[in-house]
């Protein structure tokens, strides 16, 4: 009798698994929500709006973008972490997703455990820009100057804990130099003051500075990707410039809540890859200074883990106090 009383339990589990499998196979049967944890108009928002129309076609359901900015992307990211893992809530992130674990004393979610990776969407290279009057033509000359003038070179950023901030600290650590951080509330004024010569350098997204460099208002010494971006093929990478291992990625990627069924992940991944292979979308992304990626969930997971470990190390060595 004991065995017969227990028998319905595994049978019920099997029924639930079968139902979940069927739901995953039918996915999606209603519109999908994609949360962008930033206000409209930024890089993440722009990239999301470029790829979602074609993804919607591939999925057969509309993808609705919902902007939930605030707290350095934490508010929107937390909303996704706490959403049902059914594939109807997705998250488009930037490098903030891998930087926040280093900069925040406590996050309301785990950046790895609470999310299912889908793919890196695109990579926007970071440019190492200096004022043209700074007497350096390449990274080696810059490092030599910085070593000769410790604490005398100022770098501007869009704010504390941004990619630009931590990129400069990474260079300081790797090259054994000391620079002074001048944080601004946004990219615009930080670049304006660099052009005016109030600061000497900045690590900024390539699209934000490339036209200023072409007009002679700024000088680009390097870009930080693993390889040269098609948007600036004449600019060497930091590795090519003599700083081995210096690679910084913008990490624009697509995530779902942890526990989302793999068939659903694969379905969304397939729709994204199809969108990224569309010539018009590729050209649009390249025109924005973004290199399309579309790698596997496993590769994206490895990327996130490596980036989080890297930024935690950079923040610790720089003596930056998490807030």
């Amino acid at each position: 009798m004991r065995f017969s009383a227990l028998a319905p339990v595994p049978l019920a589990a099997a029924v639930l698994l079968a139902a979940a499998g069927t739901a995953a196979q039918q996915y999606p049967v209603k519109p999908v929500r994609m949360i962008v944890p930033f206000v409209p108009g930024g890089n993440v928002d722009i990239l999301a709006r470029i790829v979602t129309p074609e993804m919607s076609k591939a999925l057969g359901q509309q993808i609705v973008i919902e902007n939930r900015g605030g707290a350095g992307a934490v508010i929107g990211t937390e909303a996704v972490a706490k959403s049902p893992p059914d594939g109807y809530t997705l998250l488009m992130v930037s490098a903030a997703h891998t930087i926040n674990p280093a900069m925040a004393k406590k996050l309301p979610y785990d950046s790895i455990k609470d999310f299912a990776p889908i793919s890196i969407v695109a990579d926007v290279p970071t440019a190492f820009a200096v004022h043209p009057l700074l007497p350096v033509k390449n990274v080696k000359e810059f490092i030599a100057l910085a070593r000769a003038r410790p604490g005398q070179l100022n770098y501007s950023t869009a704010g504390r804990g941004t990619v630009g901030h931590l990129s400069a600290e990474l260079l300081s650590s790797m090259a054994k130099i000391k620079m002074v951080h001048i944080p601004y509330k946004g990219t615009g004024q930080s670049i304006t003051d660099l052009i005016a010569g109030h600061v000497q350098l900045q690590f900024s997204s390539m699209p934000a500075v490339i036209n200023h460099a072409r007009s002679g208002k700024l000088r680009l010494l390097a870009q930080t990707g693993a390889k040269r971006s098609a948007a600036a093929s004449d600019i060497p990478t930091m590795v090519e410039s003599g700083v081995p291992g210096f690679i910084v990625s913008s990490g624009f990627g697509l995530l779902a809540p942890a526990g989302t069924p793999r068939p659903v992940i694969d379905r969304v991944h397939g729709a994204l890859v199809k969108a990224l292979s569309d010539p018009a979308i590729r050209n649009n992304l390249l025109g924005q200074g973004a290199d399309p990626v579309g790698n596997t969930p496993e590769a994206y997971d490895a990327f996130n883990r490596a980036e989080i470990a890297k930024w935690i190390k950079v923040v610790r060595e720089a003596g930056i106090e998490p807030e």
Side-chain angles (χ1 to χ4, degrees):
M1 290 297 293
R2 284 184 297 173
F3 291 109
S4 61
L6 293 173
V9 176
L11 178 59
V15 171
L16 289 173
L17 287 172
T22 300
Q25 290 172 1
Q26 294 175 344
Y27 171 88
V29 297
K30 62 181 181 179
V32 175
R33 178 178 62 157
M34 181 183 290
I35 289 182
V36 172
F38 299 95
V39 297
N43 285 334
V44 183
D45 183 63
I46 290 171
L47 293 182
R49 294 180 190 279
I50 289 174
V51 300
T52 49
E54 191 61 33
M55 287 182 65
S56 295
K57 291 180 184 178
L59 290 174
Q61 289 286 347
Q62 183 182 10
I63 297 177
V64 180
I65 294 175
E66 182 179 322
N67 294 92
R68 285 204 188 184
V74 172
I75 292 175
T77 303
E78 180 184 8
V80 176
K82 295 179 178 178
S83 294
D86 54 11
Y88 291 99
T89 302
L90 304 175
L91 175 69
M92 181 80 81
V93 298
S94 67
H97 189 71
T98 56
I99 289 175
N100 282 340
M103 295 298 297
K105 287 184 178 179
K106 186 176 182 180
L107 290 171
Y109 53 82
D110 186 296
S111 298
I112 294 295
K113 294 179 181 179
D114 289 338
F115 300 93
I118 298 173
S119 177
I120 294 179
V121 178
D123 183 30
V124 177
T126 296
F128 181 9
V130 300
H131 189 275
L133 292 182
L134 198 68
V136 296
K137 301 294 185 183
N138 54 54
V139 175
K140 287 185 178 180
E141 290 181 0
F142 175 83
I143 291 174
L145 178 67
R147 286 174 176 168
R149 296 165 57 181
Q152 298 180 40
L153 298 181
N154 300 330
Y155 69 91
S156 61
T157 72
R160 185 180 185 275
T162 58
V163 173
H165 178 198
L166 297 193
S167 294
E169 292 299 337
L170 178 61
L171 178 60
S172 295
S173 175
M174 296 181 74
K176 309 302 180 185
I177 59 177
K178 182 174 178 58
M179 302 183 291
V180 178
H181 180 209
I182 310 296
Y184 288 74
K185 293 181 179 180
T187 302
Q189 190 59 44
S190 72
I191 294 176
T192 298
D193 277 12
L194 173 60
I195 293 172
H198 300 315
V199 295
Q200 288 75 52
L201 67 136
Q202 180 179 130
F203 282 87
S204 188
S205 69
M206 186 68 74
V209 296
I210 186 67
N211 288 333
H212 296 306
R214 287 170 177 160
S215 67
K217 295 178 181 178
L218 295 176
R219 178 183 298 134
L220 300 189
L221 300 186
Q223 54 183 304
T224 67
K227 61 181 181 179
R228 296 191 187 194
S229 168
S233 59
D234 58 325
I235 307 299
T237 66
M238 290 292 288
V239 174
E240 291 173 326
S241 301
V243 190
F246 192 108
I247 297 174
V248 174
S249 171
S250 59
F252 293 105
L254 193 59
L255 299 164
T260 301
R262 182 59 188 242
V264 171
I265 295 294
D266 290 342
R267 185 97 162 82
V268 177
H269 180 270
L272 174 63
V273 170
K274 184 176 181 180
L276 293 176
S277 65
D278 181 271
I281 290 178
R282 290 187 66 83
N283 289 336
N284 195 349
L285 289 171
L286 291 170
Q288 299 287 337
D291 295 320
V293 180
N295 58 352
T296 66
E298 289 75 19
Y300 185 28
D301 180 60
F303 168 85
N304 281 336
R305 292 174 184 273
E307 287 293 290
I308 289 172
K310 177 176 73 178
W311 293 130
I312 288 175
K313 182 174 183 290
V314 169
V315 167
R316 183 173 61 248
E317 292 182 352
I320 300 172
E321 190 68 28
E323 294 182 346

